[in-house]
Amino acid sequence: MTSAVVPLEAFVDLPAHARLLGLDLGTKTIGLALSDLERQIASPLETIQRIKFGLDAAALLKIAAKHQVAGLVIGLPLNMDGTEGPRVQSTRAFVRNLLPLTDLPIVFWDERMSTLAVTRTLLDADASRAKRAAVVDKMAAAYILQGALDRLGRIGPQDAEEDDGQYD
C-alpha cells in the first residue's frame, strides 16, 4: 500500500495519540518537527543533511517509524502571491517520489513566511548567525507543523472527545 496526499481534514480520522511529523524541505537540509501525542504542540526535532533522495527518504522514514508518526505535514513554499514556482515543483517531486515508499498520509501546508518568522524570532533572542543556521530549518518545520496543528484543532477536537466516551 502507498500513502496519499490528503486534505488536512483527513487527519481528524488518524488514530488518537499518534504524532505528526512536520517537514521543511530545503535544497541542502530537511528540517523536522514532531507533535506531541495530543497533536497540540509542535517541537523542533532535528535536521537531515540532504545527500540524495533515496538516503534522504530512508532517514526521514526511519525517524517517522522511531516516533510512531501517523502522518506527515510538508511545507509548501508558495510564492508570496500564492503562485507556484520552482521550489514548489521540487517539493511536489520529492513527495511524488516518497509516496510509494510509505503508508503515511501526507498534507501540504502553506509555509510562506515560516523561515522569515523563525529568523526574526531568533534575531529577537539575539542568537548568533551560527546558532541561527544550526536551528532555523527544524524551527521552520515546527512553525509549519504548529500552523497545521492549530487548524486541525479547530476542525476536529470534538470528534476526538466523542471517540473516547468521556464527554457524552
Side-chain angles (χ1 to χ4, degrees):
M1 183 169 179
T2 59
S3 65
V5 176
V6 299
L8 184 64
E9 291 78 9
F11 276 20
V12 170
D13 297 326
L14 290 175
H17 306 295
R19 298 178 190 272
L20 299 179
L21 189 66
L23 284 76
D24 179 40
L25 288 173
T27 55
K28 297 179 183 176
T29 61
I30 302 172
L32 301 177
L34 191 64
S35 75
D36 64 333
L37 291 171
E38 286 76 35
R39 296 194 286 263
Q40 300 291 313
I41 300 169
S43 299
L45 184 60
E46 65 181 270
T47 302
I48 297 172
Q49 294 299 316
R50 299 211 42 191
I51 300 166
K52 66 178 188 175
F53 175 79
L55 297 173
D56 301 345
L60 168 65
L61 295 175
K62 182 177 179 183
I63 292 165
K66 174 184 174 185
H67 293 284
Q68 299 175 327
V69 167
L72 303 176
V73 176
I74 299 182
L76 194 62
L78 297 169
N79 294 325
M80 290 307 293
D81 65 0
T83 60
E84 296 188 5
R87 290 190 58 228
V88 169
Q89 293 170 4
S90 176
T91 299
R92 290 189 188 280
F94 182 92
V95 170
R96 265 193 314 275
N97 291 329
L98 186 63
L99 289 173
L101 304 178
T102 181
D103 290 335
L104 296 173
I106 297 172
V107 165
F108 285 118
W109 189 256
D110 184 349
E111 74 164 55
R112 282 179 283 185
M113 306 298 287
S114 62
T115 301
L116 178 63
V118 167
T119 301
R120 188 169 290 150
T121 300
L122 290 169
L123 286 169
D124 289 347
D126 216 17
S128 69
R129 183 180 301 267
K131 178 67 172 172
R132 288 192 312 266
V135 300
V136 71
D137 295 318
K138 62 185 176 182
M139 288 186 67
Y143 186 91
I144 292 163
L145 180 57
Q146 189 64 55
L149 292 174
D150 291 348
R151 175 70 181 114
L152 190 58
R154 288 192 302 272
I155 60 176
Q158 67 279 7
D159 297 331
E161 292 170 357
E162 289 171 8
D163 287 346
D164 65 13
Q166 294 181 14
Y167 300 97
D168 288 322

